[in-house]
Structure formats: structure tokens, C-alpha cells
Amino acid sequence: MSRKHVLECTRDELPALFRAIADALEGKEPNDHPDSQPDGHHLPSLAAFRKLQISVKDDYGLVSLKLKYRNDHGCIESDDAPEACQAAQSSATPSSGPPYSHALSSGAPSTGAPSSGPPLPRYSNLKHELQASYKAIYRAVHAGTLPPVDAVRAFEEQSRQMTQYEDAGSEYYAPYNAALERFLKAWTSADIAAMHDAVDALNHVKTDCHQRYK
């Protein structure tokens, strides 16, 4: 197995992150090239890697870089990797938010179509998409900024699809949808405080559901 690190930054901060990776590949210490160290963090040395994989994804303005590597002896590298440059959109944001792995039930639900309308998407795909849109919204709201339009629209659609699955947790759909409507109304009126309350209410419903069905 290879060691995997997930680093998050904005597009503007991404070049500095790649410079830090380049320094790690050359075995440089952080003080050798301080301008390339995002937020004062640095990677462990990658000079002796045997296998290295880098992938970058942009979810609603939040860039995630996944770094997987092994040293040339096939051993797992240490855990002392950077927490990374933490930001979302154009402003600084909290370094972490609650994972939104599912909208409601934690188990694999029965799939299919609602009583009317198109078939629901594959559950695992929808789960990851909902996690990304909620994370972008959570970080923006808790930073005191409006979430991006594309994240809000995606989150609304994904939430409405997630609450159509026939599985344990359906009793939480009504309070979840009520909190969703509160959030959308607050977002339309650019009421950050009301959005903050609604996002926390959504997370509270999700947490209650997971505690019961996990």
C-alpha cells in the first residue's frame, strides 16, 4: 500500500503547493526555499520515492490535491505530512468541516426510481457529489461568505435525490428537507446568519440519523 495525503487550497495557492512538492522531490529543507512552502507546512522528503501519483480536482472553488507515494524500498512513508493550505473560494476558511459522507442513512440503500420521474443516480456517485457540494457550502458559510451558485444548485438537486431512496432513515427526510428550504431561502436573501443556522440544522439531522442507523 502507498501513503496518501489529501491537501486543499485555492487555485491561486496551487502553484506554491507544487513548488513545495518539487522541493520535497529535491530533498530540500523548508528553509531552503521558504516561499514555496504553503502556509508554513512542508512535505517529507520524496527524493527516494519508488512510486508517486498526483491528482488534482476542483470542487466548487476548493482544490483538492491527492498525493500517493512509496519509498524505493516499498515501505510506507511517515505520517508527518502537511495539513496544507486551507482555503475556499477567494477567502480564508476553517481548516476542516464535518464530513458529509451521506445525506441521511449510512447503509447502502435500495435503489431504483421514485413513484414518478427519472431513475435515481447510482448511490455511491451521488454520495460523493453531495459530500463535495456540502463541504463547499459549509466552508463558505462558516467563513462568513456566500456559497457559490453552482455549489448551492448542485446541493439542492443532490439532496432532493438523496431523500428519495427507499431505506432506513426516511423518517428524517421531512426535517432534512425543511432545513434545506430554510437554507435556500437564506441563500436567496444573502442572510449569512440564517444560512449558518440552516447548515448546522442540516448537519444535526444527518448526525441524528447516523447515530441511529450506523
Side-chain angles (χ1 to χ4, degrees), residues 95-137:
S95 61
S96 62
Y100 206 93
S101 57
H102 299 226
L104 298 168
S105 175
S106 60
S110 57
T111 57
S115 56
S116 62
L120 293 173
R122 185 176 178 180
Y123 182 78
S124 59
N125 292 342
L126 179 59
K127 178 182 70 175
H128 290 300
E129 291 170 1
L130 184 59
Q131 179 181 5
S133 60
Y134 177 81
K135 187 175 183 180
I137 290 171

Side-chain angles (χ1 to χ4, degrees), residues 63-130:
V63 176
S64 298
L65 183 147
K66 292 184 179 180
L67 177 68
K68 296 174 66 176
Y69 64 96
R70 297 175 68 166
N71 67 20
D72 58 359
H73 300 293
C75 301
I76 301 298
E77 288 285 358
S78 64
D79 275 326
D80 52 347
E83 295 173 3
C85 42
Q86 298 288 347
Q89 306 165 67
S90 61
S91 60
T93 61
S95 61
S96 62
Y100 206 93
S101 57
H102 299 226
L104 298 168
S105 175
S106 60
S110 57
T111 57
S115 56
S116 62
L120 293 173
R122 185 176 178 180
Y123 182 78
S124 59
N125 292 342
L126 179 59
K127 178 182 70 175
H128 290 300
E129 291 170 1
L130 184 59

Side-chain angles (χ1 to χ4, degrees), residues 22-71:
D23 285 349
L25 290 170
E26 295 176 346
K28 292 181 179 179
E29 293 296 327
N31 292 332
D32 293 344
H33 201 252
D35 292 339
S36 71
Q37 308 304 323
D39 281 6
H41 298 290
H42 67 281
L43 287 158
S45 176
L46 299 173
F49 79 89
R50 184 173 69 86
K51 185 176 182 180
L52 179 66
Q53 294 178 325
I54 299 174
S55 62
V56 181
K57 183 179 181 181
D58 185 346
D59 283 320
Y60 311 105
L62 179 65
V63 176
S64 298
L65 183 147
K66 292 184 179 180
L67 177 68
K68 296 174 66 176
Y69 64 96
R70 297 175 68 166
N71 67 20

Side-chain angles (χ1 to χ4, degrees), residues 58-61 133 136-137 147-156 158 187:
D58 185 346
D59 283 320
Y60 311 105
S133 60
I137 290 171
V149 175
D150 54 347
V152 173
R153 294 310 182 199
F155 179 70
E156 178 185 7
Q158 294 153 6
W187 179 76

